[in-house]
């Protein structure tokens, strides 16, 4: 649980950082939003005894995990947007999308999505720690 708590803290920091650098480094801000979501979902998986493999497709697997395990609590539109963010970040990081095409409004939108996902994960983890409703294991 300590690792999971640290990942949620990092995720929250990434969201705050994305807002601060959106106008000066939009590519990094986009990556921060993406990492916030990925780390939050990784935190939940870790608390459940799972770990995502460091291999191609792992970021997609994290979103699929969120849809499968937290689907009743995470908004499916937010998970769709998380996947769109994953693709957008990839395109931006590898030069397929010029940084000038990533606006502050887009960063703000993705930061809001990340915030909602991190909030749900943090609440789920708090319930696990306090002995409340235990998150269900993936099928």
């Amino acid at each position: 649980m300590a690792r999971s708590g640290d990942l949620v803290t990092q995720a929250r920091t990434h969201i705050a950082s994305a807002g601060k650098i959106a106008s000066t480094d939009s590519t990094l801000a986009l990556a921060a939003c993406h990492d916030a979501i990925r780390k939050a979902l990784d935190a939940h998986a870790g608390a459940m005894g799972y770990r995502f493999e460091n291999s191609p497709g792992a970021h997609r697997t994290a979103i699929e995990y969120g849809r499968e395990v937290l689907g009743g609590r995470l908004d499916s539109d937010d998970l769709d947007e998380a996947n769109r963010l994953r693709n957008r970040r990839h395109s931006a990081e590898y030069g397929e999308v010029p940084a000038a095409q990533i606006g502050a409004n887009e960063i703000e939108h993705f930061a809001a999505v990340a915030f909602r996902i991190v909030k749900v994960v943090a609440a789920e983890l708090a319930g696990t720690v306090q002995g409340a409703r235990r998150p269900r294991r993936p099928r």
Side-chain angles (χ1 to χ4, degrees), residues 120-133:
V120 168
V121 168
E124 288 290 314
L125 292 177
T128 300
V129 171
Q130 296 169 2
R133 179 176 48 119

Side-chain angles (χ1 to χ4, degrees), residues 24-99:
T24 59
D25 194 344
S26 58
T27 303
L28 185 58
L30 200 64
C33 292
H34 172 263
D35 279 354
I37 293 169
R38 182 183 54 78
K39 286 181 179 179
L41 295 172
D42 187 23
H44 189 276
M48 296 298 295
Y50 298 104
R51 189 109 189 227
F52 300 119
E53 231 176 78
N54 185 11
S55 62
H59 294 178
R60 183 176 348 135
T61 300
I63 294 169
E64 291 169 5
Y65 172 89
R67 194 174 303 280
E68 178 66 26
V69 177
L70 295 167
R73 293 166 296 285
L74 287 176
D75 186 295
S76 76
D77 288 343
D78 281 345
L79 290 168
D80 291 344
E81 285 301 293
N83 196 47
R84 192 169 78 80
L85 169 59
R86 181 183 64 80
N87 289 322
R88 186 78 164 146
R89 182 219 46 102
H90 183 273
S91 296
E93 294 246 330
Y94 295 99
E96 298 164 15
V97 172

